Amino acid sequence: MNIREIITLGFMTFALFVGAGNIIFPPFIGLRAGENLWYAAAGFLITGVGLPVLALIAMARKNGSLVELTKPAGKYFGLLLSLICYLALGPLFGTPRTATVSYEIGINPLFSGQVPLSIFSLVFFIAVIICSLNPLKLIDIVGKFLSPLKVVSLGLLGLYAFWRPAGNELSTFPEYVETPFSSGMINGYLTMDTLAALVFSIIIVNAIKSRGVDRAQNITRYMVITGLIAAVGLIYVYISLFYLGAYSLPLARTATNGADVLHAYIVNGFGFKGSVFLAFVITIACLVTAIGLTSACASYFNQITGKSYKMFVVILAAVSMLLSNLGLTEIIRFSLPALTSVYPPFIVLVIYGALAKGGNNSVMLCMPATLVAFVVGIMQSVVPVDDIPLLVQHLPFYKEGMGWIVPTLVVFVLSAICRKVTPSQRVTS
C-alpha cells in the first residue's frame, strides 16, 4: 500500500468510529469535570481510544473474523457473544440510534419540528443502503468522500473551540471531585467503541486485502498504522470537545447531556448558521457510522449463513429504520444495560487476542475468565440493585461500574495455574 492509500484508510477508520455519541460525551464530561478536566480526559482516552485500537490489532491477527476472536470463549459461548455484539451494535440498538441522534440533535432543531422522524429515517436509511450495497467500493465512498467531510468539519470545530472559548469559569461537579480519572474511564467505556472496532474491523481488513495485501503479518502491520491514524484523529476531536465543554459553563450550566452543551456553544458563536453546521456534522457522522455498521453486520451474517450480502443490507437497514422510530430516549433506555453487560467479556477477549499466542488449550485458559466477566457485567447492568449479592457489591471498583475486573483476573490466573498443572489436557470447544 502506498502512502495515499494508507492515509485514506486511516481517515475511513477514524470516520467509522466517530458517531454522534463520540461527539456528545466529551463536552458534557468537560462541563462537569471543570478543574479536573485533564484527569477525566486521560481516563476517557484510555477506554475510548486505547481499547478500540487494541481491538483493531486483535481483529487483524484474526483476519477480521469475530468468530476467531471469540473461539477462546468456547464454541457456543463465543457464538452467543458474536451474535449479541452484531445485533446490539447493528439493527437492535447501534444503527437505529445513529438516525435518531442525527434527527433529534441536528435535523429537528434546525427545522423546528416540521420534518417527522419517520420521513427522515426513511431518507437516512435509503442513503445507508445505497452506500452499503457494494462493499468493495465502501472505502471509496466513505474514505474518499464522506470521511474528508467529517474530518474537515470536526477539525474546524476543534480549532474554533480552542480559539473562542465561551467563558473562563470552571466548576467541578461532585462526580468528578474525588475520582475524575475513573469517572472518565467509565464514560469512555460506555462509548462502546471497542465493540464497534470488532464490527468495523472486517471492513478495514477487506479494504487492506483489496489493495493486494494478503500476508497476515502485513495485514496486521497496516491495521496498526491505520489504527494509529484514527487514534490521533480521535484524540484531537475528544480533547477539543473536552475543552469546549469545560469553558461552556456560562452557556450550559443546567445542561443534562452533551447535546445541550454542544448546541448552546455553537448557537452562541454562530447563531442560525451554527445550527446548520451542527446538523451537517452530526448527520454526516451518524450516516458514516450507520454505513459501517450495516455493511459489517451484513458481511457477518453473509459469512455465517451463506445468504446474500445485499439481502442482509436491505433487511438490516429496514429493521433499523423501524426501530429508530421509537425515538432516542427509548433506544438508549433499552440499549445501555444490554451493551454494558456484553462489554466486559469482549475486553477480556480483545486483550487475549491482541497479546496471546493462543493454542489448542486456549479455551481452558480464557473461557472461565470471560464467563465471569459476562456474569458480573450482567449483575451490574441488568439485575436490580437490591437483588445483587453482597459479595458482588463489595468487589473492588464495583461503585465505578467495573466490579468485573478483579474476579476476572483471579479466575484467569487460576485457569493459567490449572493449565500448567495439567499440560496434557486439550480443550478445543
Side-chain angles (χ1 to χ4, degrees):
M1 292 178 66
N2 58 45
I3 296 296
R4 180 181 177 183
E5 289 173 334
I6 293 173
I7 293 175
T8 298
L9 189 58
F11 280 168
M12 185 190 82
T13 305
F14 166 75
L16 287 172
F17 273 117
V18 182
N22 306 82
I23 298 173
I24 291 170
F25 275 121
F28 194 58
I29 296 170
L31 177 76
R32 300 185 72 85
E35 295 176 352
N36 289 330
L37 166 66
W38 301 118
Y39 295 105
F44 184 94
L45 293 177
I46 289 174
T47 51
V49 179
L51 276 177
V53 172
L54 193 64
L56 289 177
I57 296 170
M59 290 297 287
R61 295 186 66 191
K62 305 299 181 182
N63 201 29
S65 172
L66 187 56
V67 173
E68 290 297 318
L69 184 79
T70 57
K71 270 188 177 181
K75 181 179 179 180
Y76 299 109
F77 186 37
L79 177 61
L80 174 64
L81 289 176
S82 298
L83 287 171
I84 291 174
C85 177
Y86 274 101
L87 289 173
L89 281 173
L92 295 185
F93 306 130
T95 311
R97 191 173 65 179
T98 60
T100 55
V101 167
S102 56
Y103 173 77
E104 295 193 19
I105 297 174
I107 303 301
N108 197 41
L110 182 62
F111 293 97
S112 303
Q114 298 299 310
V115 178
L117 175 58
S118 57
I119 299 299
F120 172 77
S121 63
L122 176 63
V123 174
F124 184 91
F125 283 106
I126 287 175
V128 169
I129 291 173
I130 292 172
C131 293
S132 302
L133 277 178
N134 192 336
L136 295 179
K137 292 186 178 180
L138 187 62
I139 188 173
D140 296 320
I141 297 170
V142 176
K144 294 183 179 179
F145 178 65
L146 294 180
S147 294
L149 288 176
K150 193 174 184 178
V151 170
V152 170
S153 299
L154 293 173
L156 292 174
L157 176 60
L159 289 174
Y160 190 82
F162 285 115
W163 182 45
R164 287 285 182 89
N168 54 17
E169 179 185 358
L170 294 175
S171 179
T172 304
F173 287 68
E175 66 268 32
Y176 288 99
V177 172
E178 295 184 0
T179 58
F181 183 80
S182 62
S183 295
M185 285 188 69
I186 288 297
N187 280 278
Y189 167 89
L190 293 176
T191 63
M192 302 298 162
D193 274 352
T194 300
L195 293 184
L198 303 179
V199 173
F200 291 147
S201 61
I202 191 170
I203 299 173
I204 305 166
V205 168
N206 287 340
I208 293 172
K209 289 181 177 179
S210 71
R211 295 302 188 264
V213 181
D214 53 11
R215 291 181 59 190
Q217 184 178 1
N218 288 337
I219 291 173
T220 301
R221 181 167 69 92
Y222 285 123
M223 181 72 92
V224 171
I225 295 171
T226 56
L228 290 176
I229 293 172
V232 170
L234 287 170
I235 291 171
Y236 168 76
V237 169
Y238 287 150
I239 288 178
S240 62
L241 292 177
F242 284 134
Y243 189 85
L244 180 156
Y247 289 94
S248 293
L249 188 65
L251 304 177
R253 193 179 301 271
T254 60
T256 58
N257 57 59
D260 295 339
V261 180
L262 193 58
H263 189 267
Y265 176 84
I266 291 181
V267 170
N268 177 72
F270 296 96
F272 177 75
K273 292 181 180 179
S275 295
V276 174
F277 177 76
L278 180 61
F280 171 77
V281 172
I282 292 293
T283 302
I284 290 295
C286 288
L287 182 62
V288 172
T289 302
I291 292 168
L293 288 172
T294 301
S295 179
C297 290
S299 296
Y300 173 73
F301 288 113
N302 165 254
Q303 177 187 0
I304 65 173
T305 67
K307 302 296 183 181
S308 168
Y309 166 86
K310 294 182 178 180
M311 178 190 74
F312 280 118
V313 166
V314 175
I315 291 174
L316 293 170
V319 173
S320 299
M321 182 191 70
L322 291 174
L323 292 179
S324 69
N325 283 276
L326 292 174
L328 179 60
T329 301
E330 283 298 304
I331 291 174
I332 291 177
R333 186 168 71 88
F334 284 112
S335 67
L336 190 57
L339 292 174
T340 52
S341 297
V342 76
Y343 207 79
F346 273 109
I347 292 179
V348 176
L349 291 171
V350 162
I351 294 174
Y352 186 81
L355 303 179
K357 294 182 179 179
N360 292 332
N361 52 0
S362 60
V363 175
M364 174 191 286
L365 178 63
C366 204
M367 183 173 67
T370 307
L371 187 58
V372 167
F374 189 46
V375 170
V376 178
I378 289 176
M379 286 185 179
Q380 286 206 254
S381 304
V382 178
V383 177
V385 175
D386 293 339
D387 296 332
I388 298 176
L390 289 177
L391 177 63
V392 175
Q393 295 185 39
H394 286 89
L395 288 171
F397 311 118
Y398 173 82
K399 292 182 179 180
E400 288 82 5
M402 294 185 288
W404 59 272
I405 291 178
V406 171
T408 300
L409 286 173
V410 170
V411 170
F412 188 86
V413 171
L414 292 175
S415 298
I417 294 173
C418 290
R419 193 176 70 163
K420 290 290 185 182
V421 172
T422 57
S424 61
Q425 183 174 355
R426 293 292 181 265
V427 181
T428 59
S429 64

